[in-house]
Each structure stands twice: as C-alpha cells, then as structure tokens.
Amino acid sequence: MSTDETDEPDDEAAGEATDGTPDEPTSEEPDEAPASETPEEAGDGTPGVDEAYCRNCGEVIDAKAEICPECGVRQRSPDTGFGNQAGIAAVASLLIPGAGQIYLGHLGRGLGFIVASFVAGLFSIFLIGIPFLLAIWVYGIYDAYHLAEDPERGA
C-alpha cells in the first residue's frame, strides 16, 4: 500500500465535491418566491387587476384584449356603435306594439301587447277601440324603453 491512499481523506466520503464545496444546498437559497413578487411573477396563473382568463385556453391575458395572444380566439365582440337598446326597443314598439318587448327577450309581455292591440283594433270598427289602441300603443313604447333601461322591472 502506498502512503497516498491512506493519508488523504476521501473527498466524496466526507460529503464534499471534488472542488471543495458541499453537495447539499445551503440555507441561503429560498425555497419559495419572495413576498415582493406579484402573482404573475411567481407564475401561479392568477389574473391581476387588469388581467382576465382567455375564454378558450384559460391563459391569463390583458383584460382589454380582443384576441388571445396564445390561442388567437376572439375574447369579446367588437362594439357595433349602437349600444342603445332602449332606443331600439322603443322604435320597434313604435312600428309594432310589443315588438320592443320581444326584442328585449320578454316574449310573453310582447305577445300580450300584440294581442291587446289586435283586440283594440277590432273594436275600432265601433269607434270605441281607437282610444284603447292609441293608449296601448303609447304605453307599449314607454314600457319597452323603460324595460331596456331597468331590466329588473320586467322580472
């Protein structure tokens, strides 16, 4: 046996690498993200204040994005410029009593106005139905406009 083999301690057996550093990580390295990181930086996938989930792939994207940059799916329909459902409903009821209510999704209410207008129209033959027809027509316009302004009213 030579003296070199027995005098020097085995570096790997002592728990150190050949360069003299220990094999185990030191306690200086954090196991979790620092508290100063936002959830987006930490990578947990939670949307922030101005972010939302994509409707298709679920990726966190900008809340104002029209198209997801990850999957390319449109997130919201572009604005048509109309935006005034109350005006459209009122004009529809002006043309056909009850059409504005049907446009707003209140089918029964709209059909009620249509039937009432028809009955009042039949009574117009006797001249008694004309005031009722006008009253139903004007109230139908008023009701359609206010139903669009306050949807809770129609429930």
Side-chain angles (χ1 to χ4, degrees):
M1 245 192 181
S2 71
T3 57
D4 290 341
E5 294 177 7
T6 57
D7 291 339
E8 293 183 14
D10 188 12
D11 287 341
E12 292 178 5
E16 294 184 2
T18 56
D19 63 351
T21 58
D23 288 339
E24 298 176 6
T26 62
S27 62
E28 296 174 11
E29 297 177 18
D31 290 341
E32 55 189 57
S36 64
E37 284 189 2
T38 62
E40 296 82 28
E41 293 170 350
D44 66 352
T46 305
V49 176
D50 292 331
E51 294 180 324
Y53 290 111
C54 171
R55 295 182 346 181
N56 185 50
C57 67
E59 193 69 32
V60 177
I61 59 172
D62 186 9
K64 297 175 187 171
E66 290 186 27
I67 297 175
C68 175
E70 297 297 320
C71 65
V73 172
R74 182 172 297 280
Q75 298 301 304
R76 56 189 170 108
S77 60
D79 292 335
T80 59
F82 291 110
N84 187 0
Q85 288 188 342
I88 294 171
V91 170
S93 283
L94 175 67
L95 299 175
I96 301 171
Q101 287 80 0
I102 294 172
Y103 166 74
L104 294 172
H106 296 275
L107 183 64
R109 195 175 203 156
L111 290 177
F113 275 102
I114 291 173
V115 169
S117 298
F118 182 73
V119 170
L122 287 178
F123 282 119
S124 295
I125 296 172
F126 305 109
L127 300 177
I128 195 168
I130 293 174
F132 290 122
L133 180 61
L134 290 174
I136 291 168
W137 197 0
V138 170
Y139 183 71
I141 296 168
Y142 169 84
D143 183 61
Y145 183 83
H146 287 287
L147 192 60
E149 290 290 316
D150 185 17
E152 296 288 323
R153 182 173 174 263

